[in-house]
Amino acid sequence: MIRDVDITKLIIEKFAEEFLKNIELDVAIVGAGPSGLVAAKYLAEKGKKVVIFERKLSPGGGMWGGGIGYPYIVVKQGHEVLEEAGIKCIEKQGYWIANSIEAVAKLVATAIDAGAKIFNGMTVEDVMVRDGRVCGIVANWSAILQANLHVDPISIEASFVIDATGHDCNVAKIVEKKYGLGTPGGKIEGEKAMWADEGERKTVENTGEIFPGLYVTGMAANAVYGSPRMGPIFGGMLLSGKKVAEIILEKVR
């Protein structure tokens, strides 16, 4: 016999068990788009305790919809990251084409298989700072914030925090407002108009630390540094996720 309350107990017990194991982290990644998923996979493969906090129910960011809702993405660089995840890529005219739905599904699966955790439906609304360094995040359920309820959030400690929130660069905005950033202008420059070639290059180049303990990857990096967006071409985002993982791994060896 199925008892409804048994189902409820199992869900609550399992979530509480997993969440309590993951409130002290090596790396907290905010945003489960392609760069955040790739970063999580590479960090977890090296034994780091990594959690992605995704404000929506579905991880994947803007990759799900491909271009204008056609479920295909293009990469000029970084196709090896897709292929490592078992994603089928077709080469044509020096580009690689992949199905966006397969890409998201397998990037999520490989991150989880590597040992990373994903908590969805959670929004990071603030950071923790000690001695001038970001040392954690402050999170709440997205539904609570959307309902505009006055409910206090909770805190999660992390040695490193990665802003992978895409165009909005939400975590960088929080830190900029309260402390300023360690970038040349000390502030968020804002994303520029579409230019795929330059945007792809800059996404990787801009990846890195913008405040002690806080790193940017993917489109968040271009938004912070005032570089172009690049539309449904994702190689730079994949390589940006790999790069930010490599930077952090160098610091914790």
Side-chain angles (χ1 to χ4, degrees), residues 16-132:
E17 175 189 343
E18 286 299 311
F19 199 75
L20 286 172
K21 288 179 183 175
N22 288 285
I23 57 175
E24 295 174 287
L25 305 172
D26 294 318
V27 186
I29 301 175
V30 187
S35 56
L37 290 168
V38 170
K41 179 243 187 189
Y42 283 109
L43 288 162
E45 281 181 339
K46 296 297 184 181
K48 303 309 170 191
K49 193 175 182 181
V50 184
V51 172
I52 306 176
F53 297 87
E54 167 57 46
R55 68 183 177 89
K56 296 183 179 180
L57 288 179
S58 56
M63 188 179 269
W64 281 113
I68 65 165
Y70 292 6
Y72 287 92
I73 58 168
V74 172
V75 299
K76 183 75 171 178
Q77 56 179 346
H79 65 94
E80 65 278 3
V81 177
L82 294 176
E83 290 166 346
E84 276 182 30
I87 298 159
K88 295 180 287 294
C89 298
I90 300 169
E91 192 274 330
K92 190 171 184 178
Q93 300 173 2
Y95 297 90
W96 282 263
I97 308 162
N99 182 280
S100 63
I101 297 168
E102 179 191 7
V104 173
K106 289 183 176 176
L107 288 175
V108 170
T110 53
I112 292 171
D113 288 346
K117 302 292 183 183
I118 301 175
F119 292 134
N120 61 344
M122 297 199 78
T123 294
V124 171
E125 62 174 65
D126 204 350
V127 295
M128 297 166 61
V129 176
R130 301 289 184 273
D131 300 320

Side-chain angles (χ1 to χ4, degrees), residues 62-219:
M63 188 179 269
W64 281 113
I68 65 165
Y70 292 6
Y72 287 92
I73 58 168
V74 172
V75 299
K76 183 75 171 178
Q77 56 179 346
H79 65 94
E80 65 278 3
V81 177
L82 294 176
E83 290 166 346
E84 276 182 30
I87 298 159
K88 295 180 287 294
C89 298
I90 300 169
E91 192 274 330
K92 190 171 184 178
Q93 300 173 2
Y95 297 90
W96 282 263
I97 308 162
N99 182 280
S100 63
I101 297 168
E102 179 191 7
V104 173
K106 289 183 176 176
L107 288 175
V108 170
T110 53
I112 292 171
D113 288 346
K117 302 292 183 183
I118 301 175
F119 292 134
N120 61 344
M122 297 199 78
T123 294
V124 171
E125 62 174 65
D126 204 350
V127 295
M128 297 166 61
V129 176
R130 301 289 184 273
D131 300 320
R133 178 183 174 83
V134 171
C135 62
I137 59 166
V138 178
N140 213 329
W141 292 113
S142 300
I144 286 175
L145 298 176
Q146 289 168 2
N148 199 29
L149 300 177
H150 186 70
V151 178
D152 283 328
I154 57 170
S155 56
I156 292 114
E157 289 186 357
S159 300
F160 302 90
V161 174
I162 299 174
D163 185 342
T165 60
H167 305 275
D168 295 332
C169 59
N170 291 323
V171 184
K173 285 178 180 176
I174 292 166
V175 175
E176 176 201 37
K177 182 178 179 180
K178 296 184 176 183
Y179 300 98
L181 300 177
T183 57
K187 64 184 182 66
I188 293 168
E189 299 296 331
E191 182 182 270
K192 298 299 188 290
M194 188 180 290
W195 180 5
D197 188 56
E198 182 72 355
E200 280 274 281
R201 183 176 67 82
K202 285 291 189 179
T203 303
V204 181
E205 183 181 310
N206 292 334
T207 300
E209 192 173 35
I210 59 168
F211 187 86
L214 176 63
Y215 295 74
V216 283
T217 186
M219 280 311 305

